[in-house]
Amino acid sequence: EGPGSEGARVTRPEKVACADPKETCALFRKQDLTKHRRRRAVGCVPRDEHEGACLPAARPLEVTAEVEAWLCPRRKISFDGFVSYEGRRFGVPYWYDRRECRVSREGRVLHVYSDDLSREIAVHAVTWDRRDSWCAGQWADGGDDGQPCELPSQPVATTVVQVAPPPANPAFAKFDFWGRS
């Protein structure tokens, strides 16, 4: 039994005999709001009492280097230049040569930072699309659309020649009972 627990029980609204239906409805609505306010309690302490006791002791969080590092979790960069965040893959530029980076999301924008948070590497728009999100400069030899162009490792030297069919099929020669071949 904690402080304020005597008032934390929810009771059924009392029956009220009113001549005006609007007045009855307003009374029940007021009791219903009180009931919901009691449900949003922390440790059986009503919300109003909790705010009154804890809010004066609360203060804004100072953004220090330690807090920034905690808010931007460290992520590994995959072999193909992507970093995973919230089940999606976001591109990291080719010129960033470290294996880890830090990622933070602010609304619909995802920021990719260097491992020591000294500079912003890439910015992506966060969508509900499950496809990979590319970034400019993700590959060294990117094409017009920024994706890699796969070129053959050897020059192509293919010639196509049609060979004439043999005059007789040696596999069926044993079935030539009349000696035509």
Side-chain angles (χ1 to χ4, degrees):
E1 299 285 331
S5 62
E6 65 276 352
R9 291 193 182 142
V10 178
T11 59
R12 178 173 273 169
E14 300 171 11
K15 291 187 177 182
V16 178
C18 293
D20 187 18
K22 290 183 180 180
E23 185 181 340
T24 307
C25 182
L27 181 63
F28 278 115
R29 192 177 307 130
K30 181 179 178 186
Q31 289 177 351
D32 193 39
L33 289 174
T34 306
K35 178 173 65 173
H36 288 297
R37 194 174 300 132
R38 295 289 184 184
R39 280 190 193 159
R40 289 190 215 142
V42 178
C44 293
V45 178
R47 184 186 61 172
D48 299 334
E49 289 180 29
H50 185 266
E51 284 178 1
C54 293
L55 215 50
R59 61 181 171 79
L61 183 65
E62 294 178 25
V63 181
T64 61
E66 183 179 287
V67 172
E68 281 183 352
W70 185 78
L71 291 175
C72 298
R74 186 177 276 140
R75 303 288 175 161
K76 289 191 183 281
I77 301 171
S78 63
F79 71 96
D80 56 350
F82 288 98
V83 63
S84 293
Y85 188 76
E86 294 181 353
R88 294 174 180 81
R89 292 172 16 117
F90 299 95
V92 178
Y94 177 77
W95 52 262
Y96 184 69
D97 56 352
R98 309 272 315 252
R99 291 181 183 224
E100 291 183 341
C101 63
R102 292 189 177 267
V103 180
S104 76
R105 178 178 173 179
E106 295 176 11
R108 294 182 177 258
V109 179
L110 183 105
H111 300 276
V112 181
Y113 297 102
S114 62
D115 193 27
D116 57 354
L117 292 170
S118 61
R119 66 185 204 191
E120 187 176 61
I121 299 171
V123 177
H124 294 276
V126 178
T127 62
W128 288 104
D129 194 7
R130 290 284 179 186
R131 287 181 279 172
D132 296 340
S133 179
W134 317 97
C135 76
Q138 189 166 349
W139 291 279
D141 58 347
D144 295 335
D145 58 352
Q147 297 184 20
C149 301
E150 190 170 335
L151 300 173
S153 58
Q154 294 291 324
V156 179
T158 304
T159 56
V160 179
V161 178
Q162 286 188 336
V163 180
N169 192 346
F172 291 109
K174 59 184 172 184
F175 298 111
D176 187 15
F177 300 117
W178 295 275
R180 294 186 204 159
S181 55

